[in-house]
């Protein structure tokens, strides 16, 4: 909301308050000021002047020498190339040294050898448009009306009412009353403890025996969406430009002037916060207005000449045959005010805020009117707004107001009355504000205290309980005046939950391994599933759909974190980052089969790497995490059924009871191609919640071994498909507790071992806890290992 300080002065005297003090105080009392702007700040030393004489330039066919009366008693000579000037014309003259918008500086000089002490100004050079200066020539010098004859020598900012300051407020959604000059005037008066002067509109009327009942009938067919509808008729309408004071006030508020009738509706909307609309009476079929729901498929052309197809959730203002306006949003082209309009119907109504918002959103329209209605307006304001509009009609001589008013008000609201509890307010706020001061504060915002109760004004729909009243008292008393006190309370020592601490431990471990953390959005595009080659029948494609997404790219809640990781990896590749290691502990959302039940939210540890890494880098990272959590008996099993991963370079994490914890490996080249790269990318997806459930919180101390170890090396030729992990598992099973470790140290493939075969070399470390093992002990265990390998896997030592 942009507030003109000159407009504000009609209601509250703040002339002695500098603009910075005003902005600071208003922000402190809850009306946040975003900024302020002096309208004519860029204009200096430009005055109203009269052309006394014009002679041709001796050395130019298009230049003219003007002798100017600038009000100083001394004539000034200015050379101009404009052809629309004439002797006696009143024009803006920039006198040296003058400044114009855009940083233009005007100095004395010569044009073709003739001295020129300034410049005559056009609308554009003063940063004005035809909306502020209707009927004036855009490309020539701005010729002012004869009404400026008494202002010769006057600063052009004052003459054109540009000496104003506009303050931009950020109005919260619960304060629609502040989307008006009067609303902000109330706040200003209360903030600075100054009297508020409100004007009661008066309308003389025609007094010729004519009455609105001779013109119009009004019916509300949807009282749940229209709370009040008031109308008046103006006949003998005289369409003309609005006077300058009205045009410049609209311009200060960011609204362009159209004509006197349309400007009056905008003026009332800005001053009272009551959106209004004006219909051309001759366009109303049946001389009737019906406030009804639109018919499904009904066509409507708005004032901006855009066709809309309506449905029965929308409210329209209609006559006997057609819709003439979208209620609270915009009027129709079929009832537009034209230069030929002679009779006008003024509408002042109150509509359901939710209905207006839905209608505006469905039709892709957001107007000053809809922005106010959707926040919930006061039905009691309709009458005052309508009377103010008719008063302005008479003030501007824009027509004759027909006697009488139609006011349909089916659901008048009862006033809100709350108990006045000063002791409870102080207890709640931690203050010691005197009761008399509370009453004075509440009275300044029209909350009248009497007989132990507070009468809340109808325009303050946000005041509904004790807390609201306490807030009103405090914001005008001053948040900065609250005395500091020590906190006195009984509480428990704070701390992290085991799961929070586990997450921090995992994160720190990954940081220590050189892996950087990322955070990605939980909502993604359905196209992400295609990019990771997820099958069409995959259950993970069933996602939670966001009902009001920002766009298709954020329309569903993800069921897998892999696409988000690969998007980030691809972005790093595009930025030419050579070696990248990333992780995220992110949420996935799996829909419930039970209707109305919230989706299951799980946590997944996702890792993404490329550069100086390989399959075993990812595997080692995962093993370190498992070691941190003291999770044992986890096996790595080769898998080839993950479409996003390379079928020959992917493994799953399996528990001893066959539960799958996750998957890791190289991303399939086709998947990588979907992200615009042929770089080898490695990734992992691990169920973080399952890791936490399996962790062993007890940390056992293991002393250094007292006795030396013995190692034995084994080499086997086996089928290519046989996993080394299976061999290691059998060796540990055979050796029992005395097998301390089994590690792979070489794999060989070649002609010597045969096609689809490989040679695997492993080193087994043996150690006893209570004695030094002998060669005989080692040989005995080795025989058990070889026996079990041959029996279960068919392996024999390589010859």
């Amino acid at each position: 909301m942009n507030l003109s300080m000159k407009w504000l002065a009609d209601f509250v005297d703040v002339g002695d308050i500098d603009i910075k003090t005003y902005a600071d105080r208003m922000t402190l009392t809850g009306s946040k000021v975003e900024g302020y702007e002096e309208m004519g700040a860029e204009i200096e030393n430009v005055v109203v002047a009269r052309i006394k004489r014009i002679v041709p330039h001796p050395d130019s066919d298009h230049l003219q020498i003007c002798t100017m009366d600038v009000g100083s008693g001394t004539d000034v000579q200015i050379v101009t190339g404009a052809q629309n000037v004439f002797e006696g014309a009143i024009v803006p003259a920039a006198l040296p040294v003058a400044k114009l918008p855009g940083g233009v500086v005007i100095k004395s000089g010569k044009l073709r050898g003739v001295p020129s002490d300034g410049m005559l100004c056009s609308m554009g050079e003063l940063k004005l448009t035809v909306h502020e200066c209707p009927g004036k020539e855009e490309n020539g010098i701005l010729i002012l009306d004869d009404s400026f004859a008494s202002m010769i020598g006057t600063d052009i900012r004052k003459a054109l009412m540009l000496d104003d300051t506009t303050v931009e407020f950020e109005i919260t959604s619960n304060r629609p009353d502040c989307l008006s000059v009067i609303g902000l005037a109330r706040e200003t008066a209360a903030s600075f403890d100054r009297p508020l002067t409100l004007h009661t509109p008066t309308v003389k009327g025609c007094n010729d025996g004519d009455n609105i009942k001779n013109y119009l009938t009004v019916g509300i067919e949807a009282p749940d969406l229209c709370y009040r509808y008031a109308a008046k008729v103006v006949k003998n309408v005289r369409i003309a430009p609005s006077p300058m004071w009205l045009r410049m006030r609209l311009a200060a508020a960011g609204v362009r002037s159209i004509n006197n009738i349309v400007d009056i509706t905008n003026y009332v909307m800005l001053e009272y916060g009551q959106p209004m609309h004006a219909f051309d009476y001759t366009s109303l079929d049946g001389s009737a207005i019906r406030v009804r729901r639109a018919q499904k498929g009904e066509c409507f052309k708005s004032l901006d000449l855009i066709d809309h197809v309506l449905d029965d959730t929308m409210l329209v203002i209609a006559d006997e045959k057609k819709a003439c306006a979208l209620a609270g949003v915009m009027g129709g082209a079929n009832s537009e005010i034209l230069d030929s309009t002679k009779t006008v119907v003024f509408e002042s109504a109150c509509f359901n805020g939710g209905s207006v918002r839905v209608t505006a959103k469905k039709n892709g329209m957001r107007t000053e009117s809809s922005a106010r209605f959707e926040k919930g307006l006061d039905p009691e304001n309709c009458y005052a707004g309508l009377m103010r509009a008719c008063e302005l009609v008479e003030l501007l001589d824009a027509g004759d107001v027909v006697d009488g008013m139609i006011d349909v008000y089916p659901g008048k609201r009862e006033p809100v009355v709350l108990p006045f509890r000063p002791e409870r307010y102080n207890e709640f706020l931690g203050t010691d504000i005197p009761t008399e001061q509370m009453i004075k504060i509440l009275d300044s915002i029209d909350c009248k205290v009497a007989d132990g109760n507070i009468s809340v004004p109808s325009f303050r729909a946000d005041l509904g309980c004790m807390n609201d009243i306490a807030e009103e008292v405090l914001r005008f008393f001053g948040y900065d005046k609250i005395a500091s006190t020590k906190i006195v309370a009984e509480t428990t020592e704070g701390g992290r939950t085991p799961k929070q601490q586990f997450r921090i431990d995992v994160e720190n471990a990954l940081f220590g391994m050189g892996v950087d953390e990322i955070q990605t959005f939980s909502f993604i595009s359905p196209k992400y599933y295609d990019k990771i080659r997820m099958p069409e029948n995959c259950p993970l494609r069933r996602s939670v759909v966001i009902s009001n997404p920002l766009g298709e790219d954020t329309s569903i809640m993800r069921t897998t974190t892999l696409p988000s990781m690969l998007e980030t990896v691809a972005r790093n590749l595009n930025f030419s980052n050579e070696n990248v290691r990333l992780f995220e502990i992110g949420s996935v959302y799996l829909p419930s089969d039970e209707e109305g039940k919230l989706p299951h939210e799980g946590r997944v540890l996702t890792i993404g790497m490329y550069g100086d890494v390989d399959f075993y880098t990812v595997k080692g990272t995962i093993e370190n995490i498992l070691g941190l959590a003291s999770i044992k008996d986890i096996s790595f099993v080769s898998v080839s059924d993950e479409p996003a991963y390379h079928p020959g370079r992917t493994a799953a994490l399996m528990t001893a009871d066959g539960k799958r914890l996750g998957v890791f490996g190289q991303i399939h080249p086709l998947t990588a191609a979907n992200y615009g790269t042929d770089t080898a990318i490695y990734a992992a997806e691990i169920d973080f919640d399952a890791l936490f459930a399996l962790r062993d919180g007890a940390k056992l101390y293991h002393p250094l071994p007292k006795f030396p170890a013995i190692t034995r090396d084994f080499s086997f030729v086996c089928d290519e498909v046989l996993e080394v992990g299976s061999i290691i598992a059998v060796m540990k099973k055979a050796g029992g507790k005395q097998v301390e470790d089994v590690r792979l140290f070489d794999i060989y493939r070649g002609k010597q071992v045969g096609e689809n075969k490989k040679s695997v070399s492993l080193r087994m470390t043996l150690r006893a806890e209570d004695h030094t093992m002998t060669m005989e002990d080692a040989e005995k265990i080795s025989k058990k290992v070889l026996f079990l390998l041959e029996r279960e896997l068919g392996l024999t030592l390589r010859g």
Side-chain angles (χ1 to χ4, degrees), residues 34 106 167 304 363 669 688:
E34 289 289 298
I106 305 299
V167 182
D304 52 8
N363 289 281
F688 183 80

Side-chain angles (χ1 to χ4, degrees), residues 297-369:
E298 184 172 1
C299 295
F300 172 77
K301 178 175 285 189
S302 53
L303 277 172
D304 52 8
L305 303 181
I306 296 177
D307 291 316
H308 304 273
V309 178
L310 311 181
D311 61 46
D312 56 9
T313 65
M314 304 175 188
L315 189 69
V316 296
I317 312 301
D319 56 25
E320 294 290 359
K321 295 182 179 179
K322 63 185 181 300
C324 300
L326 278 178
V329 182
M330 185 180 289
N334 54 22
S335 59
E336 181 180 6
I337 302 298
L338 305 173
D339 291 344
S340 58
T341 298
K342 294 302 179 185
T343 305
V344 165
V345 177
F346 277 119
E347 161 197 291
S348 181
C350 186
F351 305 112
N352 177 275
S355 171
V356 172
R357 176 158 178 79
V358 168
T359 300
K361 188 172 182 180
K362 283 186 176 181
N363 289 281
M365 306 162 70
R366 185 170 175 82
T367 61
E368 289 282 349
S369 175

Side-chain angles (χ1 to χ4, degrees), residues 79 210 225 263-264 274 283 290 300 350 368 375 396 429 445 482 490 498 533 549 604 611 615 627 635 665 714 725:
V79 179
D210 203 0
L225 300 182
D263 289 354
I264 285 171
Q274 174 60 45
S283 69
R290 297 290 178 263
F300 172 77
C350 186
E368 289 282 349
K375 293 173 176 63
L396 274 55
L429 298 172
I445 57 172
I482 301 176
E490 293 184 3
R533 304 174 67 243
V604 177
F615 176 88
S635 59
F714 302 89

Side-chain angles (χ1 to χ4, degrees), residues 420 422-423 426 432-441 449:
F420 180 55
E423 297 83 5
N426 278 324
D432 189 21
I433 305 172
T435 300
E436 293 75 15
Q437 188 171 359
M438 289 187 186
I439 295 174
K440 183 180 179 181
I441 289 172
V449 179

Side-chain angles (χ1 to χ4, degrees), residues 50-66:
R50 185 195 303 274
I51 301 176
K52 297 177 63 175
R53 184 172 60 258
I54 299 178
V55 296
H57 194 289
D59 294 325
S60 174
D61 293 334
H62 69 281
L63 294 177
Q64 302 181 85
I65 303 172
C66 301

